Amino acid sequence: MSDIQNDPFADIRPYHDHEVQAAIGRLIADQEFIAAILHYRFPHLAGSFGWLLAPAVKFFLKRKWAKLRSIEQVQLQVAAFMERMLKTSTTAMTFSGIEHLKPGQAYLFISNHRDIAMDPALVNWCLHKHGFDTVRIAIGDNLLRKACATELMKLNKSFIVKRGAKGPREMLKNLSQLSAYIRHSLDEQQSIWIAQKEGRAKDGNDETDPAILKMFYMEGKKRGDSFADYMRNLNIVPVCLSYELDPCDQDKARELSHKQQHGNYQKGEFEDIDAIIKGIVGFKGRVHVAFAKPLTDIPADADALAAMIDQQIWQNYKLFPVNYLAAGDSAKADAAQQASWQQRLDALPPESQPFLTQMYAAPVLKQHAQAAERPVANA
């Protein structure tokens, strides 16, 4: 019997070790993958001399990846790339809350979502640097339109979230499979990373979608568990990623402005790929990853749990001078930071500037709102 017949998660799960070599072979043979490398590595030569450079790129990749036989070996290559990338694209990489985690324990990390690739990569980086196993990453199939993208993601412990269901029955089937796979992974002592909602928080407003939590519970409902009991056993850890600067911030502001003016926004064919690359190599300034304590006092419904996760994420957001400037507080920024912020605004057309301001101001405003509510909550 084939693996697919034996494995109910074969079409969404990451690759296993014995599948690594075949996947690498398919990648190197993929002309679109080679063309993409040429385009982004040698943009001025890819068009005229692509036919000449392509065999050299394939030869290089075959030699570089010849000894890769396991997912762990692939991820060590990714870790080496992350080391180099963080040196050139950040000025400081800090973390907090790692002491709340126990080695050998699987967690369901639910994080805010600002960058397509870097959010889970940075969580993985922190875990790897502190001796923890890396996570399995939830990724939407809308980002996997190219075969090479699927190969790359599944080699890096990513599993697929199917979003293109054609009807309610298919949607229910997909969500049920996803819910079962997440529980299956945790039972295998494999931690999970998933964003708190579908799509990045382009307006800076990090909010957990209760529908995500209801999806987690689908497997629990099948087992006859209560919502609170089942969700407690998932070991949920809210994670907050704070970027001093977002390499994609102007693109996000333009998109939001276009939606406001025209009612919709149609992405270009390679827009997500461009955003991934810009988010990886673009300058981010200081970056902070905050792990909250695992949630134990779980409420009885998804809306209340979503609010609890939001509170943990917002209070752990690390504020930078640019956030205060966007919120109208110049006292916490020096003259150079104020000038840099103004340059960032001036690079956008006037109609897009309020969206950039909103994006960076949101964490400050949310923390202020939480502080105002706290005395009432403790009364």
Side-chain angles (χ1 to χ4, degrees), residues 341-354:
W341 169 242
Q342 191 58 51
Q343 287 177 351
R344 213 167 186 87
L345 280 173
D346 292 343
L348 284 168
E351 65 272 14
S352 299
Q353 292 178 12

Side-chain angles (χ1 to χ4, degrees), residues 86-320:
L86 289 173
K87 285 179 180 177
T88 59
S89 71
T90 67
T91 53
M93 176 74 215
T94 56
F95 63 90
S96 61
I98 200 82
E99 69 276 6
H100 301 318
L101 308 180
K102 296 179 181 178
Q105 175 66 64
Y107 297 98
L108 175 55
F109 296 108
I110 301 178
S111 93
N112 62 333
H113 194 23
R114 297 301 184 91
D115 187 272
I116 296 171
M118 288 308 300
D119 293 347
L122 289 168
V123 169
N124 261 345
W125 174 253
C126 290
L127 293 172
H128 171 70
K129 295 296 281 187
H130 291 87
F132 291 88
D133 194 13
T134 53
V135 298
R136 289 178 178 172
I137 301 165
I139 184 167
D141 59 3
N142 58 300
L143 299 173
L144 304 176
R145 294 170 188 158
K146 304 291 184 183
C148 58
T150 303
E151 302 286 9
L152 284 168
M153 293 300 111
K154 294 181 80 169
L155 280 167
N156 195 38
K157 290 179 71 171
S158 295
F159 60 96
I160 298 170
V161 178
K162 299 176 185 175
R163 291 177 175 163
K166 295 176 182 177
R169 184 174 295 180
E170 184 182 354
M171 181 184 293
L172 185 63
K173 179 183 176 183
N174 291 345
L175 292 175
S176 179
Q177 180 192 36
L178 180 61
S179 181
Y181 180 71
I182 289 171
R183 179 57 187 260
H184 169 77
S185 294
L186 295 171
D187 287 345
E188 287 189 324
Q189 297 304 303
Q190 291 286 327
S191 292
I192 294 288
W193 176 92
I194 192 166
Q196 65 182 163
K197 65 178 178 181
E198 181 180 330
R200 291 168 290 166
K202 295 170 186 173
D203 61 357
N205 193 21
D206 302 312
E207 290 187 343
T208 304
D209 184 353
I212 299 276
L213 307 179
K214 291 174 184 177
M215 177 273 291
F216 296 152
Y217 179 54
M218 289 177 75
E219 180 65 18
K221 200 169 185 178
K222 281 185 190 176
R223 300 180 181 205
D225 297 339
S226 71
F227 179 85
D229 287 343
Y230 185 78
M231 300 302 275
R232 186 181 304 109
N233 289 329
L234 297 183
N235 290 317
I236 294 171
V237 174
V239 180
C240 182
L241 296 120
S242 310
Y243 299 86
E244 183 173 20
L245 298 171
D246 182 343
C248 299
D249 57 5
Q250 295 188 2
D251 298 328
K252 292 176 181 178
R254 289 190 186 96
E255 178 182 332
L256 293 172
S257 176
H258 188 280
K259 279 184 178 177
Q260 184 188 63
Q261 293 177 67
H262 304 284
N264 61 8
Y265 178 81
Q266 186 64 43
K267 284 185 181 180
E269 183 182 1
F270 298 105
E271 195 163 332
D272 283 332
I273 299 299
D274 288 339
I276 288 172
I277 293 167
K278 189 178 288 189
I280 292 171
V281 303
F283 185 67
K284 293 169 273 290
R286 290 170 286 181
V287 179
H288 185 75
V289 182
F291 297 89
K293 292 181 180 179
L295 301 182
T296 54
D297 188 17
I298 304 293
D301 67 88
D303 290 328
L305 179 55
M308 179 183 288
I309 293 169
D310 290 347
Q311 183 181 38
Q312 291 293 315
I313 288 175
W314 281 108
Q315 73 182 33
N316 279 304
Y317 199 99
K318 185 176 180 64
L319 299 173
F320 299 104

